[in-house]
Amino acid sequence: MACNCHGKNGVSVGRTSAFDQCTTCARKHVKAAWSKWQEFTYEDDNRDYVSAQLRDAADHLKFSHRETALRLRDLAVVIEEVRDKEFGSIAQELENLRRETRELFYKDYPEALRRLEELHD
C-alpha cells in the first residue's frame, strides 16, 4: 500500500510509492508501530499491525539506509513469530528504532529540527 506524504520534491503529492526511499514515511510507520505496541502487545491484531508497519518502514529505507531497514525487518519477524522472550525487549528496540528514524529524518530535513529548536527558545 502506498503512503501519502510530501513526495520527493517536498510538495504534497497524491501517492508515494511504498518503495520510495523516504525518511518521512519510514518515521511515520515506526511511530505508528511504537504507539500500537505501547497500547497492547498481546493481541494478534495489534501484533500484525505493528509488524506490518515495521515492514513498511523497512521498504522506505532498504536502499538508502540498509542497516536500519534490516533491523526493522528482523524485529517484524520476531513479533510475527512471537519470539518476544528470546529476543529481549521489543519495547526497547522499538524505542531505539523510533529515535534512529527520527535522526535519519532530521539529517534529511535539518530545517525541521531548526524549527523545533526555535520553539524551545
Side-chain angles (χ1 to χ4, degrees), residues 71-116:
R71 287 182 43 229
L72 288 160
R73 193 243 7 241
D74 290 348
L75 186 57
V77 170
V78 167
I79 291 168
E80 291 161 359
E81 295 178 353
V82 193
R83 293 184 7 233
D84 305 39
K85 288 186 179 182
E86 66 188 69
F87 179 78
S89 176
I90 290 176
Q92 184 59 57
E93 183 64 2
L94 270 169
E95 175 65 16
N96 294 342
L97 287 163
R98 186 177 68 91
R99 290 175 185 266
E100 190 171 325
T101 54
R102 177 192 296 161
E103 290 173 14
L104 293 173
F105 168 78
Y106 285 140
K107 283 182 184 175
D108 284 351
Y109 302 97
E111 68 280 1
L113 180 59
R114 181 184 47 76
R115 287 191 299 269
L116 180 63

Side-chain angles (χ1 to χ4, degrees), residues 14-98:
R15 188 171 171 96
T16 301
S17 168
F19 296 110
D20 283 347
Q21 299 303 281
C22 176
T23 56
T24 300
C25 290
R27 183 177 183 212
K28 174 189 71 174
H29 289 298
V30 171
K31 289 187 297 183
W34 176 82
S35 175
K36 191 59 77 174
W37 187 263
Q38 302 306 315
E39 184 179 319
F40 296 108
T41 59
Y42 54 86
E43 296 288 337
D44 280 346
D45 290 343
N46 286 68
R47 296 177 77 85
D48 290 347
Y49 179 85
V50 169
S51 65
Q53 290 291 329
L54 293 173
R55 287 180 178 280
D56 287 344
D59 284 343
H60 286 296
L61 298 176
K62 67 183 180 181
F63 302 120
S64 60
H65 301 285
R66 182 169 171 71
E67 292 305 314
T68 303
L70 290 173
R71 287 182 43 229
L72 288 160
R73 193 243 7 241
D74 290 348
L75 186 57
V77 170
V78 167
I79 291 168
E80 291 161 359
E81 295 178 353
V82 193
R83 293 184 7 233
D84 305 39
K85 288 186 179 182
E86 66 188 69
F87 179 78
S89 176
I90 290 176
Q92 184 59 57
E93 183 64 2
L94 270 169
E95 175 65 16
N96 294 342
L97 287 163
R98 186 177 68 91

